[in-house]
Amino acid sequence: MSQTDIFDALQHGLTEARSVQTPGEVHGTLTGMLCVDNKASPPRAVDDVEQSEMLDTALSALREMTLEGLFDPDLSFKPLLPDDDVALERRVQALARWCAGYLYGLSHDGTFDPEQLSAEVREVVRDLTQLSRAGLTAEDSDVESAEADYAELVEYVRVGVQMVFLELQPPREGPTERESLH
């Protein structure tokens, strides 16, 4: 499943279940949970309702794709956000909700302690807290500049989340590429 397919399946499943969560918010929560515990299961997207098989499948695929990106030495992790053809205002709102979900995922089990992080990574968490309240302002009327700003924010979130993950999670077990060559 591609990231777009997963986004669409999540959107459909969440709408069908009458959930108020967005695909990005669910992905943010899952990503935060995986940063704290890389064995975490996907969060329930809806309470008190049986999740559809399609939604369960999408969440499982999203978990695997997210872990693969977080553990990738090439840092291929990407937050699950709407495509660039969606209006900028909706994408900014989706990024804010993704960040809010991520912060919830970090703290969901009560074991996350930001004071145990390096100063640099604590700053990333503070920045993500600010981004969870992001929105467009009247000054954002220059569409080209606003698009560039949005792209920079998404990249900052992508790299910042990788930094948090790498600080909280040990590398995967097994021989490194260099060790396997000998």
Side-chain angles (χ1 to χ4, degrees):
M1 266 185 151
S2 73
Q3 193 163 5
T4 301
D5 292 338
I6 292 172
F7 186 94
D8 292 343
L10 274 175
Q11 183 66 59
H12 178 75
L14 292 168
T15 301
E16 188 177 85
R18 296 188 175 142
S19 175
V20 296
Q21 292 181 301
T22 64
E25 190 174 13
V26 170
H27 184 237
T29 300
L30 174 62
T31 304
M33 292 169 67
L34 292 171
C35 282
V36 173
D37 174 10
N38 67 37
K39 299 198 183 333
S41 297
R44 288 209 33 88
V46 290
D47 292 325
D48 303 327
V49 177
E50 183 88 19
Q51 284 185 182
S52 71
E53 187 175 322
M54 178 180 170
L55 185 54
D56 285 339
T57 300
L59 286 168
S60 293
L62 183 61
R63 181 187 182 280
E64 294 309 309
M65 180 187 75
T66 302
L67 272 177
E68 190 176 300
L70 289 169
F71 274 115
D72 183 5
D74 294 329
L75 308 175
S76 66
F77 168 79
K78 291 188 331 186
L80 186 65
L81 297 168
D83 289 330
D84 288 342
D85 60 349
V86 173
L88 180 60
E89 183 174 1
R90 289 197 48 218
R91 286 182 285 143
V92 169
Q93 290 170 349
L95 179 61
R97 289 190 73 173
W98 192 98
C99 290
Y102 178 74
L103 295 167
Y104 172 76
L106 283 177
S107 63
H108 87 284
D109 70 357
T111 62
F112 178 70
D113 180 5
E115 294 306 313
Q116 300 300 313
L117 300 172
S118 67
E120 184 178 34
V121 173
R122 271 196 317 271
E123 183 177 341
V124 167
V125 173
R126 278 192 300 274
D127 291 345
L128 293 176
T129 302
Q130 291 297 317
L131 282 172
S132 72
R133 296 186 284 273
L136 290 178
T137 62
E139 302 94 57
D140 294 325
S141 59
D142 178 3
V143 175
E144 204 170 293
S145 175
E147 285 285 348
D149 292 345
Y150 171 79
E152 282 183 37
L153 289 175
V154 170
E155 182 64 9
Y156 180 81
V157 168
R158 187 186 79 73
V159 172
V161 166
Q162 287 276 186
M163 289 171 62
V164 173
F165 181 78
L166 291 171
E167 190 158 311
L168 292 175
Q169 292 298 310
R172 276 199 168 151
E173 293 179 16
T176 63
E177 194 173 311
R178 191 178 314 147
E179 290 170 338
S180 65
L181 294 176
H182 294 353

